Amino acid sequence: MRPEPADLHHFLAKGYFLWIAVVLAAPRCEVARFSEFRGEKLRTQAAALREGKRAAEKFCSGCHLLPQPESMSQDNANFVLAYMGLFLGIDASRTLDEAERTQFRQRYEFLKRTGQIPSRPQLQPEEWQFLRNWYLAVARHPFVSSEPAQPAKLTPLPFADAGVTMLLRTSDGYAVGGGLSGQLFFLDAQFRTVAAVKLDSPPVHLIEKQAGFYVLTLGSLLGALEGSGSSIWFIERKNKKAQRLLQGLARSAHFLLSDFDGDGTEDFLIAGFGSIRGGGLLLAHRRNGRFVLENLAALDSVVRLALLAQDGTHHRLLALTGGAAEKLVLLESYNGQLANTKVLAEYPPHLGSVWLEVADLNQDGEKEILVLSGDNADAGPYHETKPDQGLRIYQLSGQKLVQRHFESLPGALSLALWPRRAATAIAVARFYSDPKTPQDLTVLEPVSGWKFQRRHYSLDSRPVLVLPIDAEALLVGSGNLPVLFRSEQGPKLRQFQGPALGLLRLKN
């Protein structure tokens, strides 16, 4: 029986899509971009690249998603391989330059001290050579942004510290964390310091209540290499007297406050990040005037938390994890006990998850989930920009996560929602940026749908946090560490001489 034209078209279309599916499912043929690295000859044959990929899938995927070679330049890949090799019992530091070797040595000493280096190699020498060769031969060329950034000056504000670790609004002014002094500064509406409270380490998060303020301190600023932990303090509103409620916590930068167990008192849910590894989702209950600490969920390196919904003691939460094994996780708890956990998204380790926010951006009655990436401490002293770092905007329907938009923002560290005109803009502090096109702060203004107009600003300070003041002004907190980058003439430093705390005013 001869097929009718419609049947024939259907048959051909079905065959075409079947062919496409076969092509997409077929193993990808690796193609080398480079034949050498720093004078070292690389193996570019397809067989060698396949062996390298096989070794990477075997030895790198046990702890996190497999990093693709295209996610890193050769320099970046070489340092990451040297560092990650330590977890496999391999010392591959011979190809590092002086700056890289200094950072490698610090990490080596920490991993050795904490027993994270195996006593013998976990793979054969030829497997390591194939693995390393795959990353270096298939690596991408360094990313350079073509978008210009306009110079912008911060109006300095008096601030008795050289770095900012927290920037939040209070009912009568602002709360600012001092990164070096470990002080919590209270500012009035005119940005004048009215009180300074000495704590045990830099303040990083604060929740205000009628009687006073619950404050989380970070522990060591160099927590990846030092072991000091976080604390939670209560500061009385009137006399600013400080009382430490919890100490010795896994290093953390964020917490939620709610009655999770239904006993009539509020509990702390702490995003324990830890040091390189460790941490967890820590729940501190009040029991007879004391706190009992438990790990609510088996999550490693929790960066930030967000409360999606609450009905009595039923809490629906989001947790963003980092530390290479990066995930967005949905959790439900009843009466302080974990009921359900679902991984909504997993991210490759080079992204560096840093921020989580939930808000109704387009005023349609449904909240969006904002996940920001851009800080990856494993990148070495030359923190290169990666184009797939940035802002991912999701919508959650039940337990199904749908990505609505991605905005490339390499080196991002924090964001703030900024009501401007008739819409909500997003201000992003970028701690690392392309040295040739310094995009230190980016403002995303919605145009239509999920399209944004991007405006980049080059600052004289290295921004850490931003906080909207009004429709045209941002409060910017900075930490003016220099940035080391590679150039054709060798390592170069970008220095920052601007204020640690300042105002940025933008015109329409």
PDB file of all heavy atoms in Angstrom, residues 484-503:
ATOM      1  N   LEU A 484      45.232  40.250  41.299  1.00  0.00           N
ATOM      2  CA  LEU A 484      46.388  39.820  40.515  1.00  0.00           C
ATOM      3  C   LEU A 484      45.892  39.183  39.223  1.00  0.00           C
ATOM      4  O   LEU A 484      45.004  38.335  39.257  1.00  0.00           O
ATOM      5  CB  LEU A 484      47.220  38.814  41.317  1.00  0.00           C
ATOM      6  CG  LEU A 484      48.515  38.314  40.679  1.00  0.00           C
ATOM      7  CD1 LEU A 484      49.532  39.443  40.568  1.00  0.00           C
ATOM      8  CD2 LEU A 484      49.090  37.163  41.503  1.00  0.00           C
ATOM      9  N   PHE A 485      46.437  39.606  38.096  1.00  0.00           N
ATOM     10  CA  PHE A 485      46.036  39.019  36.821  1.00  0.00           C
ATOM     11  C   PHE A 485      47.245  38.880  35.917  1.00  0.00           C
ATOM     12  O   PHE A 485      48.280  39.509  36.112  1.00  0.00           O
ATOM     13  CB  PHE A 485      44.939  39.850  36.156  1.00  0.00           C
ATOM     14  CG  PHE A 485      45.336  41.260  35.816  1.00  0.00           C
ATOM     15  CD1 PHE A 485      45.854  41.577  34.565  1.00  0.00           C
ATOM     16  CD2 PHE A 485      45.193  42.284  36.745  1.00  0.00           C
ATOM     17  CE1 PHE A 485      46.221  42.876  34.258  1.00  0.00           C
ATOM     18  CE2 PHE A 485      45.558  43.587  36.439  1.00  0.00           C
ATOM     19  CZ  PHE A 485      46.075  43.883  35.191  1.00  0.00           C
ATOM     20  N   ARG A 486      47.069  38.025  34.918  1.00  0.00           N
ATOM     21  CA  ARG A 486      48.140  37.786  33.966  1.00  0.00           C
ATOM     22  C   ARG A 486      48.086  38.794  32.834  1.00  0.00           C
ATOM     23  O   ARG A 486      47.024  39.242  32.433  1.00  0.00           O
ATOM     24  CB  ARG A 486      48.025  36.380  33.368  1.00  0.00           C
ATOM     25  CG  ARG A 486      48.408  35.269  34.319  1.00  0.00           C
ATOM     26  CD  ARG A 486      48.433  33.939  33.571  1.00  0.00           C
ATOM     27  NE  ARG A 486      48.775  32.840  34.452  1.00  0.00           N
ATOM     28  CZ  ARG A 486      50.012  32.501  34.750  1.00  0.00           C
ATOM     29  NH1 ARG A 486      51.031  33.185  34.237  1.00  0.00           N
ATOM     30  NH2 ARG A 486      50.250  31.482  35.549  1.00  0.00           N
ATOM     31  N   SER A 487      49.254  39.147  32.324  1.00  0.00           N
ATOM     32  CA  SER A 487      49.354  39.958  31.121  1.00  0.00           C
ATOM     33  C   SER A 487      50.521  39.442  30.299  1.00  0.00           C
ATOM     34  O   SER A 487      51.283  38.572  30.749  1.00  0.00           O
ATOM     35  CB  SER A 487      49.562  41.439  31.478  1.00  0.00           C
ATOM     36  OG  SER A 487      50.871  41.638  31.986  1.00  0.00           O
ATOM     37  N   GLU A 488      50.662  39.969  29.098  1.00  0.00           N
ATOM     38  CA  GLU A 488      51.774  39.539  28.253  1.00  0.00           C
ATOM     39  C   GLU A 488      53.111  39.910  28.866  1.00  0.00           C
ATOM     40  O   GLU A 488      54.136  39.302  28.562  1.00  0.00           O
ATOM     41  CB  GLU A 488      51.632  40.155  26.861  1.00  0.00           C
ATOM     42  CG  GLU A 488      50.396  39.663  26.113  1.00  0.00           C
ATOM     43  CD  GLU A 488      50.255  40.341  24.759  1.00  0.00           C
ATOM     44  OE1 GLU A 488      51.085  41.222  24.452  1.00  0.00           O
ATOM     45  OE2 GLU A 488      49.326  39.973  24.011  1.00  0.00           O
ATOM     46  N   GLN A 489      53.122  40.903  29.735  1.00  0.00           N
ATOM     47  CA  GLN A 489      54.353  41.340  30.405  1.00  0.00           C
ATOM     48  C   GLN A 489      54.571  40.630  31.741  1.00  0.00           C
ATOM     49  O   GLN A 489      55.533  40.913  32.442  1.00  0.00           O
ATOM     50  CB  GLN A 489      54.339  42.858  30.635  1.00  0.00           C
ATOM     51  CG  GLN A 489      54.347  43.689  29.357  1.00  0.00           C
ATOM     52  CD  GLN A 489      53.027  43.708  28.641  1.00  0.00           C
ATOM     53  OE1 GLN A 489      51.957  43.699  29.286  1.00  0.00           O
ATOM     54  NE2 GLN A 489      53.059  43.713  27.318  1.00  0.00           N
ATOM     55  N   GLY A 490      53.665  39.701  32.094  1.00  0.00           N
ATOM     56  CA  GLY A 490      53.795  38.998  33.358  1.00  0.00           C
ATOM     57  C   GLY A 490      52.694  39.379  34.327  1.00  0.00           C
ATOM     58  O   GLY A 490      51.761  40.107  33.977  1.00  0.00           O
ATOM     59  N   PRO A 491      52.758  38.931  35.583  1.00  0.00           N
ATOM     60  CA  PRO A 491      51.714  39.235  36.572  1.00  0.00           C
ATOM     61  C   PRO A 491      51.593  40.740  36.830  1.00  0.00           C
ATOM     62  O   PRO A 491      52.591  41.442  36.950  1.00  0.00           O
ATOM     63  CB  PRO A 491      52.191  38.504  37.826  1.00  0.00           C
ATOM     64  CG  PRO A 491      53.111  37.444  37.326  1.00  0.00           C
ATOM     65  CD  PRO A 491      53.770  38.009  36.116  1.00  0.00           C
ATOM     66  N   LYS A 492      50.352  41.215  36.896  1.00  0.00           N
ATOM     67  CA  LYS A 492      50.070  42.621  37.172  1.00  0.00           C
ATOM     68  C   LYS A 492      49.066  42.724  38.300  1.00  0.00           C
ATOM     69  O   LYS A 492      48.215  41.852  38.475  1.00  0.00           O
ATOM     70  CB  LYS A 492      49.502  43.321  35.921  1.00  0.00           C
ATOM     71  CG  LYS A 492      50.443  43.309  34.713  1.00  0.00           C
ATOM     72  CD  LYS A 492      51.592  44.277  34.900  1.00  0.00           C
ATOM     73  CE  LYS A 492      52.456  44.347  33.651  1.00  0.00           C
ATOM     74  NZ  LYS A 492      53.614  45.256  33.816  1.00  0.00           N
ATOM     75  N   LEU A 493      49.173  43.809  39.057  1.00  0.00           N
ATOM     76  CA  LEU A 493      48.236  44.067  40.150  1.00  0.00           C
ATOM     77  C   LEU A 493      47.295  45.191  39.775  1.00  0.00           C
ATOM     78  O   LEU A 493      47.728  46.224  39.256  1.00  0.00           O
ATOM     79  CB  LEU A 493      48.971  44.443  41.431  1.00  0.00           C
ATOM     80  CG  LEU A 493      49.503  43.331  42.334  1.00  0.00           C
ATOM     81  CD1 LEU A 493      50.243  43.940  43.509  1.00  0.00           C
ATOM     82  CD2 LEU A 493      48.380  42.434  42.821  1.00  0.00           C
ATOM     83  N   ARG A 494      46.011  44.986  40.038  1.00  0.00           N
ATOM     84  CA  ARG A 494      45.070  46.096  39.968  1.00  0.00           C
ATOM     85  C   ARG A 494      44.784  46.529  41.396  1.00  0.00           C
ATOM     86  O   ARG A 494      44.261  45.764  42.209  1.00  0.00           O
ATOM     87  CB  ARG A 494      43.768  45.687  39.273  1.00  0.00           C
ATOM     88  CG  ARG A 494      42.792  46.871  39.154  1.00  0.00           C
ATOM     89  CD  ARG A 494      41.443  46.463  38.600  1.00  0.00           C
ATOM     90  NE  ARG A 494      40.520  47.581  38.680  1.00  0.00           N
ATOM     91  CZ  ARG A 494      39.200  47.487  38.646  1.00  0.00           C
ATOM     92  NH1 ARG A 494      38.638  46.302  38.502  1.00  0.00           N
ATOM     93  NH2 ARG A 494      38.444  48.552  38.750  1.00  0.00           N
ATOM     94  N   GLN A 495      45.147  47.762  41.716  1.00  0.00           N
ATOM     95  CA  GLN A 495      44.977  48.294  43.061  1.00  0.00           C
ATOM     96  C   GLN A 495      43.674  49.077  43.173  1.00  0.00           C
ATOM     97  O   GLN A 495      43.207  49.675  42.203  1.00  0.00           O
ATOM     98  CB  GLN A 495      46.150  49.218  43.418  1.00  0.00           C
ATOM     99  CG  GLN A 495      47.512  48.550  43.384  1.00  0.00           C
ATOM    100  CD  GLN A 495      47.791  47.693  44.608  1.00  0.00           C
ATOM    101  OE1 GLN A 495      46.940  47.568  45.491  1.00  0.00           O
ATOM    102  NE2 GLN A 495      48.973  47.108  44.667  1.00  0.00           N
ATOM    103  N   PHE A 496      43.086  49.070  44.357  1.00  0.00           N
ATOM    104  CA  PHE A 496      41.865  49.831  44.637  1.00  0.00           C
ATOM    105  C   PHE A 496      42.160  50.816  45.757  1.00  0.00           C
ATOM    106  O   PHE A 496      42.648  50.422  46.820  1.00  0.00           O
ATOM    107  CB  PHE A 496      40.729  48.896  45.035  1.00  0.00           C
ATOM    108  CG  PHE A 496      40.275  47.968  43.952  1.00  0.00           C
ATOM    109  CD1 PHE A 496      40.896  46.741  43.771  1.00  0.00           C
ATOM    110  CD2 PHE A 496      39.234  48.315  43.104  1.00  0.00           C
ATOM    111  CE1 PHE A 496      40.487  45.873  42.777  1.00  0.00           C
ATOM    112  CE2 PHE A 496      38.822  47.458  42.104  1.00  0.00           C
ATOM    113  CZ  PHE A 496      39.449  46.236  41.935  1.00  0.00           C
ATOM    114  N   GLN A 497      41.863  52.094  45.515  1.00  0.00           N
ATOM    115  CA  GLN A 497      42.164  53.149  46.481  1.00  0.00           C
ATOM    116  C   GLN A 497      40.915  53.882  46.958  1.00  0.00           C
ATOM    117  O   GLN A 497      41.015  54.898  47.631  1.00  0.00           O
ATOM    118  CB  GLN A 497      43.139  54.166  45.853  1.00  0.00           C
ATOM    119  CG  GLN A 497      44.422  53.550  45.321  1.00  0.00           C
ATOM    120  CD  GLN A 497      45.277  52.934  46.410  1.00  0.00           C
ATOM    121  OE1 GLN A 497      45.224  53.342  47.568  1.00  0.00           O
ATOM    122  NE2 GLN A 497      46.075  51.939  46.055  1.00  0.00           N
ATOM    123  N   GLY A 498      39.736  53.372  46.605  1.00  0.00           N
ATOM    124  CA  GLY A 498      38.503  54.061  46.971  1.00  0.00           C
ATOM    125  C   GLY A 498      38.068  53.760  48.393  1.00  0.00           C
ATOM    126  O   GLY A 498      38.697  52.972  49.110  1.00  0.00           O
ATOM    127  N   PRO A 499      36.963  54.358  48.844  1.00  0.00           N
ATOM    128  CA  PRO A 499      36.492  54.181  50.228  1.00  0.00           C
ATOM    129  C   PRO A 499      35.921  52.783  50.445  1.00  0.00           C
ATOM    130  O   PRO A 499      35.403  52.141  49.518  1.00  0.00           O
ATOM    131  CB  PRO A 499      35.395  55.241  50.363  1.00  0.00           C
ATOM    132  CG  PRO A 499      34.897  55.442  48.969  1.00  0.00           C
ATOM    133  CD  PRO A 499      36.093  55.279  48.078  1.00  0.00           C
ATOM    134  N   ALA A 500      36.027  52.299  51.685  1.00  0.00           N
ATOM    135  CA  ALA A 500      35.421  51.019  52.034  1.00  0.00           C
ATOM    136  C   ALA A 500      33.899  51.123  52.046  1.00  0.00           C
ATOM    137  O   ALA A 500      33.198  50.150  51.758  1.00  0.00           O
ATOM    138  CB  ALA A 500      35.921  50.550  53.389  1.00  0.00           C
ATOM    139  N   LEU A 501      33.379  52.286  52.365  1.00  0.00           N
ATOM    140  CA  LEU A 501      31.943  52.522  52.386  1.00  0.00           C
ATOM    141  C   LEU A 501      31.667  53.819  51.644  1.00  0.00           C
ATOM    142  O   LEU A 501      32.264  54.864  51.963  1.00  0.00           O
ATOM    143  CB  LEU A 501      31.432  52.618  53.831  1.00  0.00           C
ATOM    144  CG  LEU A 501      29.913  52.726  54.029  1.00  0.00           C
ATOM    145  CD1 LEU A 501      29.217  51.449  53.560  1.00  0.00           C
ATOM    146  CD2 LEU A 501      29.580  52.986  55.490  1.00  0.00           C
ATOM    147  N   GLY A 502      30.787  53.752  50.641  1.00  0.00           N
ATOM    148  CA  GLY A 502      30.529  54.961  49.864  1.00  0.00           C
ATOM    149  C   GLY A 502      29.174  54.908  49.171  1.00  0.00           C
ATOM    150  O   GLY A 502      28.532  53.849  49.075  1.00  0.00           O
ATOM    151  N   LEU A 503      28.757  56.063  48.655  1.00  0.00           N
ATOM    152  CA  LEU A 503      27.498  56.196  47.931  1.00  0.00           C
ATOM    153  C   LEU A 503      27.795  56.290  46.440  1.00  0.00           C
ATOM    154  O   LEU A 503      28.694  57.008  46.014  1.00  0.00           O
ATOM    155  CB  LEU A 503      26.757  57.441  48.373  1.00  0.00           C
ATOM    156  CG  LEU A 503      25.833  57.353  49.603  1.00  0.00           C
ATOM    157  CD1 LEU A 503      25.242  58.715  49.899  1.00  0.00           C
ATOM    158  CD2 LEU A 503      24.730  56.326  49.374  1.00  0.00           C
TER     159      LEU A 503
END
